[in-house]
Amino acid sequence: MIENNWNNLLADEFKKAYFISLADFIKTKYKETTVYPNYNNIFNALNKTDYDDVKVVILGQDPYHGLNEAHGLSFSVCKGVKRPPSLTNIFKELENDLGIKREENDLSDWALQGVLLLNAVLTVEKDKPLSHRGKGWEIFTDAIIKKLSDREKPIVFILWGNYARSKKDIIKKHHYIIESVHPSPLSANRGFFGSKPFSKTNEYLKKEGIKEIEW
């Protein structure tokens, strides 16, 4: 469960019919089949990055669906697991952008610095991408984005790919949006490489007097 300010902020969502139905669906699926991430890690992104601590949001679509990959943070994988292609491309851009050669695939250190690594859909069945799309998670995570958008203190929203970019409509204008195509091998060469999201984020945070991220 959620163990910080998010719990109070989202209390009304938990009582809504869609979320009660979603919770029943999820509990059943975890009993009947293999679902990722581990049940205790579903809300990992919120637990690691409290509402008041959010500086940056990196929005993903749904968790990795391979064995032991997902652990509740968008684009991040558990320690010791092979690096997925999208994360490989993210790290290539990080090195090209800031000269940082990152080895660790678990992005928890980003989360603890205020980078909310949020997927729009928080669960997925093994080897079935987007299998839990349209079950209610999107309503819940849109509510999270709206709560962040309502904050006066500016946030950097990093939107990679068409799905993430579709969320621009619920982000208020005083926040800073960085967008490009998705880091997937299918699209990375069409505008992700060279987009410099990491340096742009830190330049903006510095300008706003907010501590920069150690990527």
Side-chain angles (χ1 to χ4, degrees):
M1 291 307 295
I2 303 169
E3 301 163 353
N4 53 28
N5 288 334
W6 281 115
N7 201 38
N8 296 327
L9 282 163
L10 297 168
D12 288 344
E13 293 300 311
F14 299 141
K15 297 171 189 170
K16 292 180 180 177
Y18 87 86
F19 193 88
I20 293 167
S21 174
L22 169 65
D24 288 343
F25 168 79
I26 293 302
K27 285 173 185 172
T28 300
K29 284 296 178 183
Y30 271 91
K31 287 175 185 171
E32 291 179 350
T33 188
T34 303
V35 180
Y36 298 128
N38 180 286
Y39 189 80
N40 293 327
N41 285 335
I42 292 174
F43 297 113
N44 208 11
L46 300 179
N47 281 325
K48 285 190 181 293
T49 314
D50 204 355
Y51 177 79
D52 294 323
D53 299 331
V54 176
K55 302 175 184 179
V56 182
V57 178
I58 299 180
L59 189 65
Q61 193 158 356
D62 73 333
Y64 295 119
H65 53 84
L67 179 66
N68 295 331
E69 291 179 321
H71 63 130
L73 305 177
S74 63
F75 296 103
S76 177
V77 291
C78 298
K79 285 180 170 61
V81 177
K82 185 181 177 184
R83 187 177 298 168
S86 290
L87 188 58
T88 295
N89 287 339
I90 289 168
F91 287 175
K92 280 182 186 175
E93 179 60 18
L94 176 60
E95 186 171 5
N96 291 334
D97 186 7
L98 290 175
I100 295 170
K101 188 170 178 59
R102 189 179 167 94
E103 301 295 338
E104 181 53 70
N105 298 333
D106 180 343
L107 305 180
S108 293
D109 57 311
W110 291 4
L112 294 173
Q113 293 178 75
V115 181
L116 181 66
L117 296 162
L118 181 68
N119 280 314
V121 176
L122 298 186
T123 55
V124 70
E125 289 170 40
K126 183 178 184 292
D127 299 330
K128 294 181 180 178
L130 299 175
S131 48
H132 289 180
R133 178 171 57 180
K135 303 298 183 184
W137 278 129
E138 296 93 335
I139 303 171
F140 180 70
T141 52
D142 277 2
I144 291 170
I145 295 168
K146 287 171 185 172
K147 294 282 185 192
L148 290 167
S149 179
D150 286 341
R151 244 184 48 179
E152 216 170 289
K153 191 174 182 180
I155 295 168
V156 180
F157 286 86
I158 298 177
L159 308 179
W160 290 328
N162 290 336
Y163 184 83
R165 292 163 99 168
S166 73
K167 303 298 180 182
K168 280 193 294 184
D169 293 343
I170 58 174
I171 300 170
K172 292 180 178 174
K173 302 299 182 192
H174 67 282
H175 299 292
Y176 181 46
I177 293 176
I178 297 171
E179 58 181 308
S180 75
V181 299
H182 197 274
S184 156
L186 297 172
S187 56
N189 286 310
R190 301 202 304 268
F192 176 74
F193 292 132
S195 61
K196 300 187 179 298
F198 306 101
S199 60
K200 286 177 181 175
T201 294
N202 277 355
E203 284 163 13
Y204 180 81
L205 293 176
K206 187 175 182 180
K207 178 170 74 73
E208 293 294 328
I210 301 168
K211 188 177 180 185
E212 298 155 69
I213 305 299
E214 293 180 19
W215 300 106

